[in-house]
DNA sequence: GATGTAATGTTATATTAATAACAATGTTTA
DNA sequence: TAAACATTGTTATTAATATAACATTACATC
């Protein structure tokens, strides 16, 4: 029924690359061309197209505009998806700024913190609210995804609190591993682990 | 010969959790205890232990101190590994600050930018150099890993430049997909893709 | 000392993902 | 119009990863 995780990741990357192509005036693209722009193979591209049920124009390649739309239909929701950043430290601030104006269908609509100094301020154009008001604002602002950038020692509690407020997905940037109920889609990214992994493979020098 | 990627990732996570346990006065830990602290299973833990060739004290569980050291021998180098952050935007700054004093064997020793305003300044205690000086400083400061946080339109060129200076590993935080020679270990993390993936699975509500 | 038990290390199976193989189709070129 | 070619969609194979199954060990208890 639903697509493999890795395929979804690639679709997101395809779309971004395809938008560039469209801006350059291209209307169609071959599987091997798209593959070359990313770092994978033509077979992989074709297989992903097959999995999402998208077919090319024979001998002309894939119609770029249509493909972008097809990917959008899978990933985007018509109304767009609203995102909150929990924890306005350096990382939270950086992420909020990073996303501003990047993607139209994924909007960071609020940030949250417990520090009275920060509450009420604007962070890269987005207002910072008290974490206490989160449950109410989830409804008011239609927030469905939370990005967690709090100190690791508070991550579990805050994640549980956030999850119980009706959030559908959490992106965890803290080093604390979380345990979420099955109705919350959890994605974790651990910078330190990521770097230590590089260190291991650098040490055992195999690229 | 070398461990599977996923196992290496988990070893990094095990170690961090084990350090907490050690600080709490524990000396041994069972596979199911460690599994409960992270979000995986006892079998997975035992299999990882097997793969790294670490055995427990019969009936007492794994010796925490020894296990931490064993993981260290795999991941760390005795001299430590020096890391550079390329691109001192919000994200670069956040990452630099984030790592300060976190892990003793992975040190961010320099940041680089092309903006004359930033060059010479200190970023979270780390000096910012001109990117032009990178090849020289790689040798002087023994840098082996580069974290890339530059604007996506410059990512490819800068990555090639950085790779040709003798870097062994790159962590790419830009949205531009990179193509590196085989002797450079490349790890990519794309925040937007990550969030769009969450959006997809939230939309197709299956946790 | 025999029996039950808790935990391990390892082999076997299932799942997921990537790669390869190849027939089908339409285009070009002779 | 026939032959060669480029490109696709799909099935088949391989590789990587996670999960399950299970024999083994040593300790505790009777």
């Amino acid at each position: 029924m639903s697509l493999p995780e890795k395929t979804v990741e690639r679709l997101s990357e395809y779309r971004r690359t395809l938008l560039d192509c469209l801006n350059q005036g291209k209307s169609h693209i071959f599987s091997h061309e798209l593959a070359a722009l990313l770092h994978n193979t033509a077979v992989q591209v074709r297989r992903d197209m097959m999995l999402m049920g998208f077919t090319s124009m024979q001998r002309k390649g894939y119609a770029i505009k249509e493909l972008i739309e097809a990917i959008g239909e899978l990933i985007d929701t018509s109304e767009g998806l609203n995102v909150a950043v929990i924890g306005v430290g350096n990382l939270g601030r950086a992420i909020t700024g990073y996303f501003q104006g990047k993607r139209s269908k994924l909007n960071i609509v609020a940030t949250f913190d417990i520090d009275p100094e920060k509450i009420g301020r604007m962070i890269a154009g987005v207002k910072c609210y008290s974490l206490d008001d989160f449950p109410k604002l989830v409804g008011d602002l239609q927030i469905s995804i939370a990005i967690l950038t709090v100190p690791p020692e508070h991550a579990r509690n805050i994640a549980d609190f956030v999850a119980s407020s009706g959030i559908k997905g959490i992106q965890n940037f803290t080093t604390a591993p979380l345990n979420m109920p099955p109705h919350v889609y959890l994605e974790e990214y651990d910078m330190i682990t990521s770097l230590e992994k590089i260190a291991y493979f650098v040490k055992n020098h195999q690229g």
Side-chain angles (χ1 to χ4, degrees), chain A:
Chain A
M1 176 68 241
S2 77
L3 297 169
E5 287 205 18
K6 299 289 177 185
T7 294
V8 175
E9 286 180 20
R10 281 189 299 265
L11 292 185
S12 161
E13 285 158 18
Y14 293 159
R15 174 161 68 170
R16 206 164 35 217
T17 303
L18 289 168
L19 279 165
D20 289 346
C21 294
L22 201 63
N23 288 337
Q24 284 162 29
K26 266 179 95 78
S27 73
H28 291 75
I29 193 166
F30 294 122
S31 59
H32 63 265
E33 288 180 300
L34 186 52
L37 290 172
L38 300 144
H39 40 296
N40 63 5
T41 66
V43 195
Q44 182 80 82
V45 170
R46 292 207 303 274
R47 205 161 200 298
D48 288 334
M49 292 305 107
M50 184 198 119
L51 287 171
M52 69 180 283
F54 192 84
T55 70
S56 74
M57 309 218 59
Q58 273 287 9
R59 282 252 132 178
K60 293 234 172 69
Y62 300 93
I64 293 177
K65 195 153 156 290
E66 283 76 3
L67 181 48
I68 290 171
E69 278 162 15
I71 296 174
E73 297 216 352
L74 285 170
I75 293 175
D76 299 334
T77 53
S78 47
E79 334 82 52
L81 239 94
N82 291 338
V83 180
V85 171
I86 321 284
V88 185
N90 286 323
L91 189 58
R93 241 192 303 267
I95 290 172
T96 307
Y98 187 70
F99 271 92
Q100 275 314 90
K102 276 264 168 77
R103 289 269 318 110
S104 55
K105 296 288 187 181
L106 278 176
N107 296 308
I108 296 185
V109 294
T111 68
F112 293 87
D113 210 296
I114 52 168
D115 181 355
E117 280 286 306
K118 290 169 186 164
I119 296 165
R121 291 265 179 84
M122 297 296 274
I123 313 294
V126 181
K127 195 171 174 187
C128 179
Y129 299 93
S130 165
L131 191 55
D132 296 331
D133 298 334
F134 186 77
K136 194 183 64 195
L137 285 162
V138 165
D140 292 359
L141 299 176
Q142 298 268 59
I143 297 167
S144 47
I145 297 177
I147 299 177
L148 212 64
T149 53
V150 300
E153 56 271 27
H154 301 130
R156 270 166 215 259
N157 286 340
I158 294 178
D160 290 342
F161 172 65
V162 161
S164 68
S165 308
I167 272 304
K168 304 272 183 52
I170 290 188
Q171 168 70 272
N172 177 26
F173 279 111
T174 78
T175 52
L178 300 180
N179 239 319
M180 284 290 115
H183 57 88
V184 177
Y185 185 84
L186 176 64
E187 174 81 8
E188 309 206 85
Y189 181 73
D190 187 326
M191 261 187 234
I192 293 177
T193 287
S194 181
L195 217 62
E196 290 191 338
K197 179 173 148 193
I198 297 177
Y200 172 84
F201 285 107
V202 161
K203 185 183 170 188
N204 298 46
H205 59 294
Q206 60 133 255

Short mmCIF file of all heavy atoms in Angstrom, two decimals, chain A residues 30-31 46 50 55-56 59 62, chain D residues 5-12:
data_model
loop_
_atom_site.label_atom_id
_atom_site.label_comp_id
_atom_site.label_asym_id
_atom_site.label_seq_id
_atom_site.Cartn_x
_atom_site.Cartn_y
_atom_site.Cartn_z
N PHE A 30 15.36 12.00 -18.90
CA PHE A 30 15.55 10.54 -18.94
C PHE A 30 15.96 10.03 -17.56
O PHE A 30 16.54 10.78 -16.77
CB PHE A 30 16.63 10.17 -19.96
CG PHE A 30 16.25 10.47 -21.38
CD1 PHE A 30 17.03 11.30 -22.17
CD2 PHE A 30 15.10 9.91 -21.92
CE1 PHE A 30 16.69 11.57 -23.47
CE2 PHE A 30 14.74 10.18 -23.24
CZ PHE A 30 15.52 11.01 -24.00
N SER A 31 15.71 8.77 -17.34
CA SER A 31 16.08 8.19 -16.04
C SER A 31 17.57 8.34 -15.76
O SER A 31 17.97 8.66 -14.64
CB SER A 31 15.67 6.72 -15.97
OG SER A 31 16.29 5.99 -17.00
N ARG A 46 14.10 4.42 -12.26
CA ARG A 46 12.97 3.77 -12.94
C ARG A 46 12.15 2.93 -11.97
O ARG A 46 10.92 2.90 -12.04
CB ARG A 46 13.50 2.90 -14.08
CG ARG A 46 14.11 3.71 -15.20
CD ARG A 46 14.02 2.98 -16.52
NE ARG A 46 14.67 1.68 -16.49
CZ ARG A 46 15.97 1.47 -16.71
NH1 ARG A 46 16.76 2.48 -16.97
NH2 ARG A 46 16.47 0.25 -16.68
N MET A 50 8.26 3.37 -11.08
CA MET A 50 7.33 2.25 -11.14
C MET A 50 6.55 2.13 -9.84
O MET A 50 5.31 2.00 -9.86
CB MET A 50 8.12 0.96 -11.40
CG MET A 50 7.25 -0.26 -11.59
SD MET A 50 8.24 -1.77 -11.36
CE MET A 50 7.39 -2.49 -9.97
N THR A 55 4.52 6.87 -15.27
CA THR A 55 5.13 6.36 -16.49
C THR A 55 5.59 7.50 -17.38
O THR A 55 5.07 8.60 -17.34
CB THR A 55 4.14 5.48 -17.28
OG1 THR A 55 3.13 6.32 -17.82
CG2 THR A 55 3.50 4.43 -16.40
N SER A 56 6.58 7.19 -18.18
CA SER A 56 7.20 8.23 -19.02
C SER A 56 6.48 8.34 -20.35
O SER A 56 5.67 7.51 -20.71
CB SER A 56 8.65 7.85 -19.27
OG SER A 56 8.69 6.79 -20.20
N ARG A 59 10.28 7.27 -25.11
CA ARG A 59 11.42 7.84 -25.84
C ARG A 59 11.70 9.32 -25.56
O ARG A 59 12.67 9.86 -26.07
CB ARG A 59 11.21 7.67 -27.36
CG ARG A 59 11.48 6.28 -27.83
CD ARG A 59 12.76 6.31 -28.59
NE ARG A 59 13.65 5.27 -28.19
CZ ARG A 59 14.82 5.09 -28.77
NH1 ARG A 59 15.20 5.85 -29.75
NH2 ARG A 59 15.63 4.16 -28.34
N TYR A 62 10.71 11.33 -18.80
CA TYR A 62 9.61 11.66 -17.89
C TYR A 62 9.26 13.14 -18.02
O TYR A 62 10.15 13.99 -18.06
CB TYR A 62 9.98 11.33 -16.45
CG TYR A 62 10.29 9.86 -16.26
CD1 TYR A 62 11.60 9.38 -16.36
CD2 TYR A 62 9.27 8.94 -15.99
CE1 TYR A 62 11.88 8.03 -16.21
CE2 TYR A 62 9.55 7.60 -15.85
CZ TYR A 62 10.84 7.14 -15.96
OH TYR A 62 11.11 5.80 -15.82
P DC D 5 23.81 -0.74 -33.35
OP1 DC D 5 25.10 -0.03 -33.50
OP2 DC D 5 23.74 -2.07 -32.74
"O5'" DC D 5 22.83 0.23 -32.54
"C5'" DC D 5 22.41 1.46 -33.15
"C4'" DC D 5 21.37 2.09 -32.26
"O4'" DC D 5 20.11 1.41 -32.43
"C3'" DC D 5 21.70 2.01 -30.77
"O3'" DC D 5 21.81 3.33 -30.28
"C2'" DC D 5 20.53 1.25 -30.15
"C1'" DC D 5 19.43 1.46 -31.19
N1 DC D 5 18.36 0.42 -31.23
C2 DC D 5 17.03 0.81 -31.15
O2 DC D 5 16.76 2.02 -31.04
N3 DC D 5 16.05 -0.13 -31.18
C4 DC D 5 16.38 -1.41 -31.30
N4 DC D 5 15.38 -2.31 -31.34
C5 DC D 5 17.73 -1.85 -31.39
C6 DC D 5 18.69 -0.90 -31.35
P DA D 6 22.47 3.63 -28.87
OP1 DA D 6 23.51 4.68 -29.00
OP2 DA D 6 22.78 2.33 -28.24
"O5'" DA D 6 21.23 4.26 -28.12
"C5'" DA D 6 20.42 5.21 -28.81
"C4'" DA D 6 19.14 5.40 -28.02
"O4'" DA D 6 18.27 4.27 -28.22
"C3'" DA D 6 19.35 5.53 -26.51
"O3'" DA D 6 18.51 6.57 -26.07
"C2'" DA D 6 18.93 4.16 -25.97
"C1'" DA D 6 17.86 3.74 -26.97
N9 DA D 6 17.69 2.30 -27.18
C8 DA D 6 18.66 1.35 -27.26
N7 DA D 6 18.20 0.14 -27.48
C5 DA D 6 16.83 0.32 -27.54
C6 DA D 6 15.76 -0.58 -27.74
N6 DA D 6 15.93 -1.89 -27.94
N1 DA D 6 14.50 -0.08 -27.74
C2 DA D 6 14.33 1.24 -27.55
N3 DA D 6 15.25 2.17 -27.36
C4 DA D 6 16.49 1.64 -27.36
P DT D 7 18.69 7.24 -24.65
OP1 DT D 7 18.40 8.68 -24.79
OP2 DT D 7 19.96 6.78 -24.03
"O5'" DT D 7 17.51 6.56 -23.85
"C5'" DT D 7 16.17 6.87 -24.20
"C4'" DT D 7 15.25 5.84 -23.60
"O4'" DT D 7 15.49 4.55 -24.20
"C3'" DT D 7 15.42 5.61 -22.10
"O3'" DT D 7 14.38 6.29 -21.42
"C2'" DT D 7 15.32 4.09 -21.95
"C1'" DT D 7 14.91 3.62 -23.32
N1 DT D 7 15.37 2.25 -23.66
C2 DT D 7 14.42 1.29 -23.96
O2 DT D 7 13.23 1.51 -23.98
N3 DT D 7 14.93 0.04 -24.25
C4 DT D 7 16.27 -0.32 -24.25
O4 DT D 7 16.59 -1.47 -24.53
C5 DT D 7 17.20 0.73 -23.91
C7 DT D 7 18.67 0.44 -23.88
C6 DT D 7 16.71 1.95 -23.65
P DT D 8 14.22 6.25 -19.84
OP1 DT D 8 13.75 7.58 -19.39
OP2 DT D 8 15.43 5.65 -19.25
"O5'" DT D 8 13.03 5.21 -19.71
"C5'" DT D 8 11.82 5.42 -20.44
"C4'" DT D 8 11.08 4.11 -20.56
"O4'" DT D 8 11.98 3.11 -21.10
"C3'" DT D 8 10.58 3.55 -19.24
"O3'" DT D 8 9.18 3.72 -19.19
"C2'" DT D 8 10.98 2.07 -19.25
"C1'" DT D 8 11.58 1.85 -20.62
N1 DT D 8 12.79 0.98 -20.64
C2 DT D 8 12.65 -0.34 -20.96
O2 DT D 8 11.57 -0.86 -21.21
N3 DT D 8 13.82 -1.06 -20.98
C4 DT D 8 15.09 -0.59 -20.72
O4 DT D 8 16.07 -1.31 -20.77
C5 DT D 8 15.17 0.82 -20.38
C7 DT D 8 16.50 1.44 -20.08
C6 DT D 8 14.03 1.53 -20.36
P DG D 9 8.44 3.76 -17.81
OP1 DG D 9 7.16 4.45 -17.99
OP2 DG D 9 9.40 4.21 -16.78
"O5'" DG D 9 8.16 2.21 -17.58
"C5'" DG D 9 7.12 1.57 -18.32
"C4'" DG D 9 7.09 0.10 -17.97
"O4'" DG D 9 8.39 -0.46 -18.24
"C3'" DG D 9 6.77 -0.21 -16.52
"O3'" DG D 9 5.74 -1.19 -16.53
"C2'" DG D 9 8.10 -0.72 -15.93
"C1'" DG D 9 8.83 -1.25 -17.16
N9 DG D 9 10.29 -1.14 -17.14
C8 DG D 9 11.04 -0.03 -16.80
N7 DG D 9 12.33 -0.22 -16.92
C5 DG D 9 12.45 -1.52 -17.36
C6 DG D 9 13.61 -2.29 -17.67
O6 DG D 9 14.79 -1.94 -17.60
N1 DG D 9 13.29 -3.59 -18.08
C2 DG D 9 12.00 -4.07 -18.19
N2 DG D 9 11.88 -5.32 -18.61
N3 DG D 9 10.91 -3.36 -17.92
C4 DG D 9 11.20 -2.11 -17.50
P DT D 10 5.20 -1.78 -15.18
OP1 DT D 10 3.84 -2.29 -15.43
OP2 DT D 10 5.42 -0.82 -14.10
"O5'" DT D 10 6.13 -3.04 -15.00
"C5'" DT D 10 6.09 -4.06 -15.99
"C4'" DT D 10 7.04 -5.19 -15.62
"O4'" DT D 10 8.42 -4.77 -15.77
"C3'" DT D 10 6.92 -5.69 -14.17
"O3'" DT D 10 6.82 -7.09 -14.20
"C2'" DT D 10 8.21 -5.24 -13.53
"C1'" DT D 10 9.16 -5.32 -14.72
N1 DT D 10 10.41 -4.54 -14.58
C2 DT D 10 11.60 -5.13 -14.92
O2 DT D 10 11.68 -6.27 -15.34
N3 DT D 10 12.72 -4.35 -14.75
C4 DT D 10 12.75 -3.06 -14.27
O4 DT D 10 13.80 -2.46 -14.16
C5 DT D 10 11.46 -2.50 -13.93
C7 DT D 10 11.37 -1.10 -13.40
C6 DT D 10 10.38 -3.25 -14.09
P DT D 11 6.37 -7.87 -12.90
OP1 DT D 11 4.92 -7.97 -12.86
OP2 DT D 11 7.09 -7.30 -11.77
"O5'" DT D 11 7.01 -9.30 -13.22
"C5'" DT D 11 7.66 -9.54 -14.47
"C4'" DT D 11 8.97 -10.26 -14.23
"O4'" DT D 11 10.07 -9.32 -14.11
"C3'" DT D 11 9.04 -11.13 -12.98
"O3'" DT D 11 9.72 -12.32 -13.33
"C2'" DT D 11 9.83 -10.27 -12.00
"C1'" DT D 11 10.82 -9.62 -12.97
N1 DT D 11 11.45 -8.36 -12.50
C2 DT D 11 12.81 -8.18 -12.67
O2 DT D 11 13.51 -9.02 -13.19
N3 DT D 11 13.29 -6.98 -12.23
C4 DT D 11 12.58 -5.96 -11.64
O4 DT D 11 13.13 -4.93 -11.29
C5 DT D 11 11.16 -6.21 -11.47
C7 DT D 11 10.31 -5.18 -10.83
C6 DT D 11 10.68 -7.38 -11.90
P DA D 12 10.05 -13.44 -12.29
OP1 DA D 12 9.81 -14.73 -12.98
OP2 DA D 12 9.37 -13.14 -11.01
"O5'" DA D 12 11.61 -13.29 -12.07
"C5'" DA D 12 12.49 -13.33 -13.20
"C4'" DA D 12 13.92 -13.30 -12.69
"O4'" DA D 12 14.24 -11.96 -12.24
"C3'" DA D 12 14.21 -14.21 -11.51
"O3'" DA D 12 15.51 -14.75 -11.71
"C2'" DA D 12 14.14 -13.26 -10.31
"C1'" DA D 12 14.72 -11.99 -10.92
N9 DA D 12 14.32 -10.73 -10.30
C8 DA D 12 13.05 -10.34 -9.94
N7 DA D 12 13.01 -9.13 -9.42
C5 DA D 12 14.32 -8.68 -9.47
C6 DA D 12 14.94 -7.49 -9.07
N6 DA D 12 14.28 -6.46 -8.55
N1 DA D 12 16.28 -7.39 -9.26
C2 DA D 12 16.94 -8.42 -9.78
N3 DA D 12 16.47 -9.61 -10.19
C4 DA D 12 15.14 -9.67 -10.00
#
